[in-house]
């Protein structure tokens, strides 16, 4: 589906879709969650996420930690995946293209699907483009990290596939991962640049500060894991970080 495709969906706030999911978070998602919850981004990472900020946390009962009864307690700052639901977006790194897919309805959900609107209209109503545009801006950092890795490592001596395989394993580990200040900085803009009242302004300052931090990082393993983590958090495959 593209933005012109016929689609509509009425959410009836039954809360069933907010259970038993794996929802990937981008840095901008964490910033918006923090603002909606009235906490710092560091506190939002601790309270609402797993895997260092990159996955939304669900409790032992299967419910999202932001679910209050059948309502989202951080509705104004809900992540992109929740805004898009029941659509998903697939991003093509080569063409910068996007494709929307309809996700499997949750059994018992009171949401009503229809065709009296368009995907574009639905995205607009959900304020999804703010997140999609922010994610596009963060994307430039992936290439920057990859170039920095290439500056620091001699791939004539280190086998590149094994190097990137290790980085991918490290980025996607849900526990027992190595400390990585670059990944921490990705998901904690307040910690890197300080809280700004304007989310968009903070995003721009955050990206600029991350670019500087990347330039100063001398550990290729750290850079590579952060590149994979950022790629996956923005909805790309790890191959986006590797540049293939
Ligand atoms: S963040 Fe809100 S909308 Fe998204 S899964 Fe959690 S409760 Fe549901």
């Amino acid at each position: 589906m593209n933005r012109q495709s016929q689609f509509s969906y009425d959410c009836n706030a039954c809360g069933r879709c907010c259970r038993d999911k794996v929802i990937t978070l981008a840095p901008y998602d964490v910033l918006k969650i923090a603002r909606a919850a009235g906490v710092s981004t560091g506190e939002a990472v601790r309270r609402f996420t797993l895997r260092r900020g990159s996955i939304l946390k669900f409790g032992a009962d299967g419910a999202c930690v932001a679910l209050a009864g059948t309502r989202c307690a951080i509705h104004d700052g809900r992540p992109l995946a929740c805004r898009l639901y029941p659509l998903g977006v697939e991003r093509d790194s080569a063409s910068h293209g996007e494709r929307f897919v309809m996700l499997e309805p949750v059994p018992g959900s009171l949401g009503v699907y229809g065709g009296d609107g368009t995907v574009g209209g639905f995205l607009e109503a959900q304020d999804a483009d703010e997140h999609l545009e922010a994610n596009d801006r963060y994307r430039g950092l992936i290439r920057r990290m990859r170039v920095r890795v290439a500056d620091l490592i001699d791939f004539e001596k280190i086998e590149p596939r094994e190097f990137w395989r290790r980085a991918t394993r490290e980025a996607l580990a849900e526990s027992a991962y190595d400390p990585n200040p670059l990944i921490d900085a990705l998901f904690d803009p307040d910690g890197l640049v300080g809280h700004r009242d304007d989310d968009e302004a903070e995003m721009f300052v955050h990206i600029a500060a991350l670019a500087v931090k990347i330039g100063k990082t001398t550990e290729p393993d750290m850079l590579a894991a952060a590149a994979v983590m950022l790629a996956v958090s923005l909805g790309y495959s790890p191959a986006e970080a590797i540049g293939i």
Side-chain angles (χ1 to χ4, degrees):
M1 298 166 84
N2 58 35
R3 287 180 183 246
Q4 286 72 47
S5 302
Q6 294 292 301
F7 173 79
S8 66
Y9 180 73
D10 287 329
C11 168
N12 285 303
C14 64
R16 288 193 175 87
C17 306
C18 301
R19 296 179 165 275
D20 303 314
K21 296 276 189 310
V22 177
I23 292 180
T24 304
L25 301 176
Y28 197 66
D29 285 323
V30 176
L31 178 60
K32 297 300 282 189
I33 289 171
R35 295 300 170 261
V39 298
S40 69
T41 51
E43 179 59 22
V45 167
R46 286 185 284 280
R47 203 188 286 184
F48 293 100
T49 82
L50 300 171
R51 206 177 67 191
R52 317 195 226 205
S54 68
I55 295 184
L56 188 61
K57 193 189 283 183
F58 285 69
D61 61 351
C64 170
V65 291
L67 190 63
T70 62
R71 302 275 165 173
C72 176
I74 51 163
H75 183 76
D76 288 349
R78 67 198 184 285
L80 175 63
C82 305
R83 290 171 193 271
L84 293 177
Y85 190 84
L87 296 176
V89 63
E90 291 176 353
R91 319 200 76 192
D92 176 22
S93 50
S95 67
H96 291 248
E98 60 180 12
R99 194 170 78 90
F100 297 93
V101 291
M102 191 119 65
L103 303 174
E104 197 66 20
V106 169
S109 164
L110 299 182
V112 179
Y113 293 75
D116 57 349
T118 62
V119 168
F122 177 74
L123 298 184
E124 199 180 328
Q126 299 295 323
D127 284 334
D129 277 326
E130 178 186 337
H131 285 249
L132 289 165
E133 283 162 20
N135 289 356
D136 282 344
R137 296 190 187 283
Y138 277 96
R139 184 181 178 222
L141 294 171
I142 302 172
R143 184 176 176 281
R144 195 177 277 267
M145 287 189 248
R146 182 168 66 240
V147 169
R148 183 78 181 128
V149 167
D151 283 348
L152 291 168
I153 208 161
D154 183 353
F155 282 122
E156 296 291 317
K157 294 188 180 143
I158 307 258
E159 213 288 298
R161 266 175 309 186
E162 180 50 30
F163 172 81
W164 283 105
R165 224 184 337 261
R166 229 182 23 245
T168 302
R169 206 168 42 233
E170 172 63 15
L172 303 185
E174 293 196 10
S175 59
Y177 34 69
D178 295 333
N180 189 322
L182 201 45
I183 291 179
D184 295 343
L186 280 176
F187 294 101
D188 183 10
D190 293 352
L192 186 63
V193 300
H195 179 136
R196 306 273 199 290
D197 287 334
D198 181 332
D199 301 341
E200 204 183 16
E202 182 160 337
M203 172 195 65
F204 281 118
V205 178
H206 183 219
I207 291 171
L210 285 167
V212 172
K213 196 169 176 67
I214 290 164
K216 288 182 176 165
T217 302
T218 54
E219 291 292 326
D221 292 332
M222 205 175 269
L223 284 155
V228 172
M229 173 66 95
L230 181 57
V232 170
S233 85
L234 298 179
Y236 296 99
S237 78
E240 172 77 9
I242 303 165
I244 54 173

